[in-house]
Amino acid sequence: MKIPFIDLKQQYEQNKAEFHQAISRVLEATSFIMGPDVGELEKALSDYTGAKHAIACSSGTDALLLSLMALGIKPGDEVITTPFSFFATAEVICLLGGTPIFVDIDPMTYNLDPGKLEEKITSRTKAIIPVSLYGQCADMDEINEIAETNNIAVIEDACQSFGAEYKGKKSCNLSTIGCTSFFPSKPLGCYGDGGAVFTNDDLLAQKMRSMLVHGQSARYQHRYIGINGRIDTLQAAILNVKMKTFSQEVSERDRIAKRYTEGLRSAVDSDHVVTPKIKDDRTSVYGQYSIRVKDRDAFISYLNSKQIPTAVHYPIPMYKQEALAYLQIDPREYPVTEQVSQEIVSLPMSAFLTEEQQDYIIDAILSR
Ligand SMILES: *Cc1c(COP(=O)(O)O)cnc(C)c1O
């Protein structure tokens, strides 16, 4: 049985005619940059999340960068985040000359532990970037409260959690700014790079919208230092097609994830596997379905021998990355991250994983 890690082909096949129509429409109109599909996408994103402003941009990384630029992060500033995420979350802080300050993660959700947050705040702290990892929102209320007391902005890195809910509200609309990614393998993916920023703050929205076009206020007039951070019209057109079936896909992902958790129960009971735990007041879009095993290398080669693909998100914590060695951080400060990064492994996951494929994966794990 051939099981893709993420089944992008099935999703494409299902709406093939619509994708081709949308792409042709952009090509025929030659509206490659900032065509009408971009505005249409932004309207759909704003309606979906409830955020007043949704601004499409070139990637999740640029969404994070634009957020920090709009907040005025500069050399010497500190930005607090999690050490257990994709590198981009910390990278953007460093690009602006800021210093990433890491807070260890919660052993149950793998998200930034708000109980360890306050002790890291200093007079130089300007922002906090919690990551809603694997599609489950971080403890945004607790984080927002601490931020508010200290007059600090909160940027939700929602690159894996577009579509998730937290206490009845949508991810991306839970803090000062929300950032998401439309990288093909994310819950809502385009056919190249794309992303978006979300906010209810008019001034921040105006700044980010300007900064993604070189800080322009009017043609050839530049109010800010910005970037070329636009989304392609083609990618917006593809996303407009995908938005129509997105809610349905979110439900499918939820059903499939719960089926994994149910199917793997005996492996959990016998202490061989730890399945994802989602808090009662929120949902996950399962950007990844990630489990923990004690002997990860052996587990991965065993599944490989059964033609089951896996991935590790993420094997190396931020503070152990070569590029961040200059921070000289002691890993012993992050015992939970240390353990989880050695045990975590992601299983095939998409709205198009069939029951037959899933049963094959579950059986393989149980009969190990
Ligand atoms: C994917 C991802 C990013 C970066 O998004 P790109 O669109 O690839 O630039 C940032 N943070 C997290 C948590 C991600 O998963």
Side-chain angles (χ1 to χ4, degrees), residues 33-76:
I33 301 287
M34 296 299 207
D37 277 287
V38 176
E40 209 176 292
L41 171 66
E42 290 179 341
K43 170 82 170 55
L45 295 174
S46 164
D47 288 349
Y48 184 84
T49 56
K52 184 173 177 192
H53 304 279
I55 303 165
C57 66
S58 42
S59 69
T61 304
D62 285 340
L64 290 164
L65 182 62
L66 286 163
S67 310
L68 293 176
M69 287 168 68
L71 291 169
I73 301 304
K74 55 182 191 315

Side-chain angles (χ1 to χ4, degrees), residues 105-120:
I105 56 172
D106 177 308
M108 181 178 134
T109 63
Y110 317 136
N111 282 326
L112 186 150
D113 183 344
K116 296 177 179 163
L117 175 55
E118 213 144 17
E119 65 199 62
K120 297 281 183 178

Side-chain angles (χ1 to χ4, degrees), residues 59-61 64 85-86 88-89 131 157 159-160 181 183 186 194 314:
S59 69
T61 304
L64 290 164
S85 177
F86 180 60
T89 314
V131 177
D157 181 342
C159 287
Q160 301 181 7
S181 164
F183 186 79
K186 308 286 169 149
Y314 296 90

Side-chain angles (χ1 to χ4, degrees), residues 98-316:
T99 306
I101 304 291
F102 300 114
V103 170
D104 205 6
I105 56 172
D106 177 308
M108 181 178 134
T109 63
Y110 317 136
N111 282 326
L112 186 150
D113 183 344
K116 296 177 179 163
L117 175 55
E118 213 144 17
E119 65 199 62
K120 297 281 183 178
I121 293 176
T122 72
S123 58
R124 289 186 299 275
T125 310
K126 293 291 158 55
I128 305 168
I129 312 182
V131 177
S132 296
L133 200 70
Y134 307 147
Q136 172 175 215
C137 291
D139 290 324
M140 298 304 289
D141 276 0
E142 288 83 349
I143 294 166
N144 283 332
E145 199 184 307
I146 295 169
E148 203 168 324
T149 315
N150 292 278
N151 204 15
I152 298 167
V154 177
I155 300 168
E156 184 197 6
D157 181 342
C159 287
Q160 301 181 7
S161 63
F162 184 80
E165 284 185 18
Y166 176 85
K167 303 186 181 181
K169 282 181 79 178
K170 285 282 194 316
S171 178
C172 298
N173 186 25
L174 303 172
S175 58
T176 321
I177 299 174
C179 295
T180 202
S181 164
F182 304 126
F183 186 79
S185 61
K186 308 286 169 149
L188 177 63
C190 56
Y191 289 163
D193 281 306
V197 290
F198 302 80
T199 186
N200 293 306
D201 183 304
D202 294 341
L203 179 61
L204 286 175
Q206 176 255 314
K207 277 191 180 173
M208 291 190 287
R209 195 173 277 291
S210 168
M211 283 172 168
L212 74 83
V213 211
H214 304 287
Q216 268 190 175
S217 49
R219 194 162 207 190
Y220 302 131
Q221 294 177 38
H222 302 268
R223 179 174 295 161
Y224 311 107
I225 299 294
I227 60 173
N228 174 355
R230 294 174 296 243
I231 192 169
D232 291 346
T233 310
L234 275 171
Q235 300 305 338
I238 286 155
L239 288 165
N240 284 330
V241 174
K242 288 208 190 182
M243 273 304 277
K244 294 182 198 163
T245 50
F246 183 66
S247 294
Q248 214 175 303
E249 285 193 19
V250 170
S251 315
E252 268 307 284
R253 298 177 83 96
D254 186 61
R255 186 186 66 77
I256 290 165
K258 285 179 174 145
R259 209 168 169 276
Y260 259 138
T261 300
E262 188 54 40
L264 293 172
R265 188 180 297 232
S266 63
V268 173
D269 290 343
S270 60
D271 223 19
H272 286 98
V273 162
V274 179
T275 48
K277 293 185 181 63
I278 310 303
K279 290 193 172 179
D280 288 340
D281 57 4
R282 63 202 79 174
T283 64
S284 177
V285 283
Y286 297 96
Q288 306 296 343
Y289 186 90
S290 306
I291 63 172
R292 273 161 57 201
V293 292
K294 290 271 179 241
D295 52 346
R296 184 172 65 196
D297 288 349
F299 181 83
I300 290 174
S301 19
Y302 168 77
L303 289 189
N304 261 342
S305 74
K306 304 259 173 198
Q307 276 79 51
I308 299 170
T310 53
V312 175
H313 307 96
Y314 296 90
I316 306 173

